[in-house]
Amino acid sequence: MTLLGAPAQRDLGAAAPRPVPGPAVVTVRDLSVAYGEDTVLTGVDLDLFGGEVVALLGASGSGKSSLMKSLTGFAPITGGSAVVDGHELRGARPRELRTVRAGVGQIFQQFNLIPRLSVLTNVLAGCLHRTGPASALGHFPAHERRRALELLDRVGIAHKANEPARSLSGGQQQRVAIARALMQQPRVILADEPVASLDPRLADSVLALLRDIAVSDGIPVLVSLHVVDLALVHSDRIVGLRDGRALLSGRAGELGSATLHELYADEEDPDVDDL
Ligand SMILES: Nc1ncnc2c1ncn2[C@@H]1O[C@H](COP(=O)(O)OP(=O)(O)OP(=O)(O)O)[C@@H](O)[C@H]1O
Ligand SMILES: [Mg+2]
């Protein structure tokens, strides 16, 4: 089996039926991303369907964050296309970008909460695009406040609603960030290393929560991870990036741990050529 160095993406799951029918919410075709002269993604294809968790694996610098950023217009697309909820990102104008961003829930390694504001206000920030400038001053409609409290209950920290965000543990802060993302009523969730700052137990519980959201709400969750075993346990499909190319793609159950670890192998390693 030749794995490393193979130029094209292999779809190991092509023969199996899709777990979730319906049109893709995100469709990426032959995508290239470049920062100036530096091309960091080449020929990437990706579909995300409602109800599934897709894990993005790859060594540091392989392009995981750049792929996610391209889906919100924060990374420059130089070739191919990326369509999110019907909007083409390549060449999108600012107004269309705002529309796309409003529908994409983003979750980050460092949570990106406003530390001095209450947990509830941080969650409410997720609906600012709906509620307008008055809400920026803290005046949110009652129904949005109710919804924010319901979401905090859903992620298990309603009792912290009035605490400042900075007083919460890392795992709790990530739950606030997830509630904030849900407050957007997102069409898709992009989680860039959401558990990299959490201990293994918390990492498991946050990824389980994301899985539950994908299934219950019928939205796709794209999550980048650095731990192969977490991807195997918590995702439906895995896409492996290497040097800016999608080197493999398949259902978690079909891609063995050994195959996935090759994403991180040293290209000069002579053993790899024997695979
Ligand atoms: N804003 C930028 N300007 C220039 N180059 C960038 C920028 N952001 C990323 N890169 C480059 O793009 C490549 C891919 O980076 P990216 O952050 O997408 O990788 P990653 O897989 O997310 O890595 P990590 O696992 O460390 O987060 C790297 O070579 C990086 O240096
Ligand atoms: Mg990254």
Side-chain angles (χ1 to χ4, degrees), residues 41-163:
L41 287 177
T42 309
V44 173
D45 292 341
L46 175 73
D47 288 310
L48 299 178
F49 295 88
E52 65 173 355
V53 175
V54 176
L56 209 46
L57 290 177
S60 192
S62 59
K64 303 180 297 296
S65 296
S66 297
L67 177 53
M68 291 210 182
K69 288 177 185 171
S70 74
L71 300 178
T72 46
F74 285 113
I77 297 174
T78 51
S81 77
V83 177
V84 175
D85 196 24
H87 301 275
E88 171 60 71
L89 270 300
R90 187 178 180 187
R93 294 179 176 278
R95 189 190 171 116
E96 190 158 29
L97 283 180
R98 279 198 296 276
T99 303
V100 171
R101 288 170 187 163
V104 177
Q106 290 184 267
I107 294 161
F108 305 94
Q109 177 179 350
Q110 295 305 332
F111 324 129
N112 292 15
L113 303 179
I114 302 173
R116 67 187 166 77
L117 295 183
S118 73
V119 163
L120 181 64
T121 307
N122 270 281
V123 175
L124 283 162
C127 70
L128 275 175
H129 64 281
R130 284 197 295 275
T131 53
S135 297
L137 301 171
H139 304 297
F140 290 92
H143 70 277
E144 299 285 14
R145 296 178 73 87
R146 267 198 308 279
R147 180 170 162 73
L149 283 167
E150 283 165 14
L151 289 172
L152 280 172
D153 192 39
R154 180 174 179 185
V155 302
I157 46 171
H159 59 293
K160 297 283 185 183
N162 296 316
E163 307 286 325

Side-chain angles (χ1 to χ4, degrees), residues 61 63-66 192-193 224 226:
K64 303 180 297 296
S65 296
S66 297
D192 196 356
E193 297 194 35
S224 71
H226 266 300

Side-chain angles (χ1 to χ4, degrees), residues 6-275:
Q9 177 174 347
R10 299 182 318 148
D11 188 350
L12 301 181
R18 291 200 180 283
V20 186
V25 179
V26 172
T27 306
V28 172
R29 290 290 177 272
D30 199 21
L31 182 78
S32 298
V33 166
Y35 298 100
E37 298 286 291
D38 194 7
T39 297
V40 300
L41 287 177
T42 309
V44 173
D45 292 341
L46 175 73
D47 288 310
L48 299 178
F49 295 88
E52 65 173 355
V53 175
V54 176
L56 209 46
L57 290 177
S60 192
S62 59
K64 303 180 297 296
S65 296
S66 297
L67 177 53
M68 291 210 182
K69 288 177 185 171
S70 74
L71 300 178
T72 46
F74 285 113
I77 297 174
T78 51
S81 77
V83 177
V84 175
D85 196 24
H87 301 275
E88 171 60 71
L89 270 300
R90 187 178 180 187
R93 294 179 176 278
R95 189 190 171 116
E96 190 158 29
L97 283 180
R98 279 198 296 276
T99 303
V100 171
R101 288 170 187 163
V104 177
Q106 290 184 267
I107 294 161
F108 305 94
Q109 177 179 350
Q110 295 305 332
F111 324 129
N112 292 15
L113 303 179
I114 302 173
R116 67 187 166 77
L117 295 183
S118 73
V119 163
L120 181 64
T121 307
N122 270 281
V123 175
L124 283 162
C127 70
L128 275 175
H129 64 281
R130 284 197 295 275
T131 53
S135 297
L137 301 171
H139 304 297
F140 290 92
H143 70 277
E144 299 285 14
R145 296 178 73 87
R146 267 198 308 279
R147 180 170 162 73
L149 283 167
E150 283 165 14
L151 289 172
L152 280 172
D153 192 39
R154 180 174 179 185
V155 302
I157 46 171
H159 59 293
K160 297 283 185 183
N162 296 316
E163 307 286 325
R166 64 168 172 261
S167 69
L168 271 55
S169 71
Q172 290 170 332
Q173 289 196 41
Q174 198 56 298
R175 285 169 181 272
V176 178
I178 292 169
R180 179 183 58 189
L182 291 175
M183 197 68 196
Q184 290 176 241
Q185 300 177 333
R187 298 286 296 137
V188 56
I189 288 180
L190 306 179
D192 196 356
E193 297 194 35
V195 299
S197 302
L198 304 180
D199 73 34
R201 190 179 55 82
L202 287 176
D204 267 322
S205 75
V206 164
L207 290 173
L209 176 61
L210 289 174
R211 185 89 178 263
D212 176 67
I213 288 165
V215 172
S216 311
D217 296 15
I219 55 177
V221 174
L222 179 65
V223 56
S224 71
L225 296 168
H226 266 300
V227 180
V228 167
D229 289 345
L230 286 178
L232 287 168
V233 170
H234 292 287
S235 71
D236 301 294
R237 286 193 293 130
I238 297 175
V239 173
L241 293 182
R242 177 144 186 172
D243 295 334
R245 291 180 181 272
L247 199 62
L248 55 85
S249 161
R251 301 199 183 292
E254 296 162 348
L255 295 168
S257 175
T259 301
L260 291 165
H261 276 102
E262 295 304 337
L263 285 168
Y264 302 89
D266 182 347
E267 268 179 287
E268 302 303 316
D269 184 344
D271 291 344
V272 166
D273 295 335
D274 298 336
L275 282 172

